[in-house]
Amino acid sequence: MTYAPQIKIPATYMRGGTSKGVFFRLSDLPETAQTPGPTRDNILLRVIGSPDPYQKQTDGMGGATSSTSKTVILSKSTQPDHDVDYLFGQVSIDKPFVDWSGNCGNLTAAVGAFAINSGYVPQDRIPENGTAVVRIWQANIRKTIIANVPITNGEVQETGDFELDGVTFPAAEVQVEFMDPADGEGSMFPTGNLVDELEVPGVGTLKATMINAGIPTVFINAEAVGYNGTELQDDINSDPKALAMFESIRAHGAVKMGLIQNIEEAAARQHTPKVAFVAPPAGYTASSGKKINASDIDVLVRALSMGKLHHAMMGTAAVAIATAAAIPGTLVNLAAGGGDRTSVTFGHPSGTLQVGAEAKEVNDQWTATKAIMSRSARILMEGWVRIPDEA
């Protein structure tokens, strides 16, 4: 019988927006995992319960969806005028890898609270009652994010009456500002075009808006691939051919965006880019049974994450939606009716979400200055996670 003692690592299990993840302080990780590399990845894989050929993550903290197979490592910021460094690891469910290529916008709402509770924010910047401004350095994409965290009696307020479609219970509102949200170096539109012709073997030539904002995202029109934009998770996720088609679109978009050199590399970069399809407003019934009227929204958006249709909307993809909607001529803007706009309300499988963005054209190049959305966050459990010492 093989024996390996278990080690325990201080951790906090948090919900942020419509995601959940295991949060660690960098200094609490085993010394060998305090620097990037296979040891760190193997520990996080074991914590979450991956790789799992059953795709259940029963023997770990993951919830067997892209929204709940997440890890966060936080530390006192190394950057001037920032409070905390935020590193996000998207853990594959059935494969042995952690994708460090992008951010999680939903969990960003929880980063602010964690930073305050961990003492990363100076006490003199935390009001007795009011809002604490937490300056986050997003280390994956090297961007600044501001979390406005409500404070009551000197402590983070988690409960409240702010409702977020995709989250069952109301909570306190956390406004998150993504500063200069173009993701990575170079142009926000890496091909130089607001709309491209994307050739996908077996699918055809599709109009596509490929944007780096919040997270690299490939937008296509729903009708071009036989959908109407009101689909729920089962409509896509129960169809292996549809999933394979979207993965092919994503992979070819990644090549055209310059994120990978060839199609084969897409398998090792599941977290980015995202692929999403858009359509003009139409009424539908959300996954909760809530009726969404066409008049409630500006545009319909459905997005895939880690190979499956997302149950609501990734926070970073919401930034991409808001930014693209603010730029006349993109597929998102056109589906929303065209013209100038600084905010957009979109329909997703769980309901609706309003996001704002500011974009401007300078020397024939579009840039985004800020994107804003409201989320909520809550500690679900804190203590230690245990894993076999062999991890």
Side-chain angles (χ1 to χ4, degrees), residues 236-249:
I236 306 293
N237 295 343
S238 62
D239 185 347
K241 286 185 178 178
L243 295 177
M245 175 192 70
F246 281 116
E247 177 58 22
S248 184
I249 293 169

Side-chain angles (χ1 to χ4, degrees), residues 117-165:
N117 293 333
S118 298
Y120 295 143
V121 180
Q123 197 64 39
D124 62 7
R125 295 214 352 265
I126 303 171
E128 183 65 16
N129 292 284
T131 301
V133 178
V134 183
R135 303 163 302 186
I136 300 165
W137 179 251
Q138 214 303 322
N140 301 74
I141 59 174
R142 303 188 64 79
K143 293 289 181 182
T144 299
I145 304 173
I146 305 295
N148 298 283
V149 181
I151 304 292
T152 300
N153 298 329
E155 297 184 343
V156 173
Q157 179 188 330
E158 295 187 325
T159 58
D161 55 10
F162 173 71
E163 295 188 358
L164 179 64
D165 285 341

Side-chain angles (χ1 to χ4, degrees), residues 86 91 214 221 226 286 290 292 314 354:
Y86 162 35
V91 180
N221 286 321
K290 179 180 179 179
I292 308 298
M314 306 78 81
Q354 182 178 29

Side-chain angles (χ1 to χ4, degrees), residues 12 14 23-28 74-76 84 110-121 126 156 379 382:
T12 302
M14 294 192 76
F23 283 58
F24 299 94
R25 297 175 186 87
L26 178 65
S27 58
D28 287 336
L74 297 173
S75 58
K76 187 73 177 173
V84 62
V111 171
F114 190 97
I116 292 170
N117 293 333
S118 298
Y120 295 143
V121 180
I126 303 171
V156 173
I379 294 172
E382 49 195 342

Side-chain angles (χ1 to χ4, degrees), residues 17-304:
T18 55
S19 292
K20 291 191 292 187
V22 184
F23 283 58
F24 299 94
R25 297 175 186 87
L26 178 65
S27 58
D28 287 336
L29 291 175
E31 193 171 345
T32 53
Q34 290 185 18
T35 53
T39 300
R40 172 186 286 180
D41 287 6
N42 288 337
I43 286 174
L44 297 181
L45 282 161
R46 195 67 172 89
V47 165
I48 292 296
S50 293
D52 183 0
Y54 304 107
Q55 299 192 40
K56 302 295 183 186
Q57 292 177 326
T58 306
D59 198 21
M61 297 294 293
T65 67
S66 68
S67 304
T68 55
S69 187
K70 297 173 181 281
T71 56
V72 171
I73 300 173
L74 297 173
S75 58
K76 187 73 177 173
S77 187
T78 56
Q79 304 296 314
D81 301 320
H82 289 75
D83 300 306
V84 62
D85 286 355
Y86 162 35
L87 187 65
F88 169 67
Q90 177 76 54
V91 180
S92 175
I93 296 170
D94 58 348
K95 297 181 178 64
F97 75 89
V98 182
D99 194 330
W100 300 99
S101 68
N103 177 31
C104 176
N106 273 298
L107 289 184
T108 303
V111 171
F114 190 97
I116 292 170
N117 293 333
S118 298
Y120 295 143
V121 180
Q123 197 64 39
D124 62 7
R125 295 214 352 265
I126 303 171
E128 183 65 16
N129 292 284
T131 301
V133 178
V134 183
R135 303 163 302 186
I136 300 165
W137 179 251
Q138 214 303 322
N140 301 74
I141 59 174
R142 303 188 64 79
K143 293 289 181 182
T144 299
I145 304 173
I146 305 295
N148 298 283
V149 181
I151 304 292
T152 300
N153 298 329
E155 297 184 343
V156 173
Q157 179 188 330
E158 295 187 325
T159 58
D161 55 10
F162 173 71
E163 295 188 358
L164 179 64
D165 285 341
V167 177
T168 306
F169 303 108
E173 181 177 2
V174 178
Q175 192 176 77
V176 182
E177 304 174 38
F178 297 81
M179 313 305 292
D180 183 26
D183 181 15
E185 301 299 321
S187 172
M188 192 161 71
F189 294 96
T191 66
N193 303 314
L194 300 184
V195 179
D196 280 282
E197 300 286 325
L198 181 63
E199 293 182 26
V200 184
V203 180
T205 301
L206 304 172
K207 289 188 182 301
T209 288
M210 291 175 277
I211 187 171
N212 279 336
I215 201 162
T217 306
V218 179
F219 290 104
I220 60 172
N221 286 321
E223 64 178 5
V225 287
Y227 294 107
N228 57 27
T230 61
E231 287 76 17
L232 302 184
Q233 278 191 292
D234 241 17
D235 298 324
I236 306 293
N237 295 343
S238 62
D239 185 347
K241 286 185 178 178
L243 295 177
M245 175 192 70
F246 281 116
E247 177 58 22
S248 184
I249 293 169
R250 192 187 76 86
H252 283 83
V255 172
K256 193 143 185 173
M257 294 179 82
L259 297 171
I260 57 177
Q261 298 303 308
N262 55 66
I263 297 299
E264 290 70 32
E265 292 177 35
R269 190 184 172 119
Q270 290 188 347
H271 182 52
T272 58
K274 302 302 185 189
V275 61
F277 54 99
V278 299
Y284 64 99
T285 301
S287 54
S288 64
K290 179 180 179 179
K291 296 287 186 184
I292 308 298
N293 300 315
S295 58
D296 296 335
I297 55 177
D298 301 308
V299 64
L300 290 163
V301 191
R302 300 295 188 263
L304 285 86

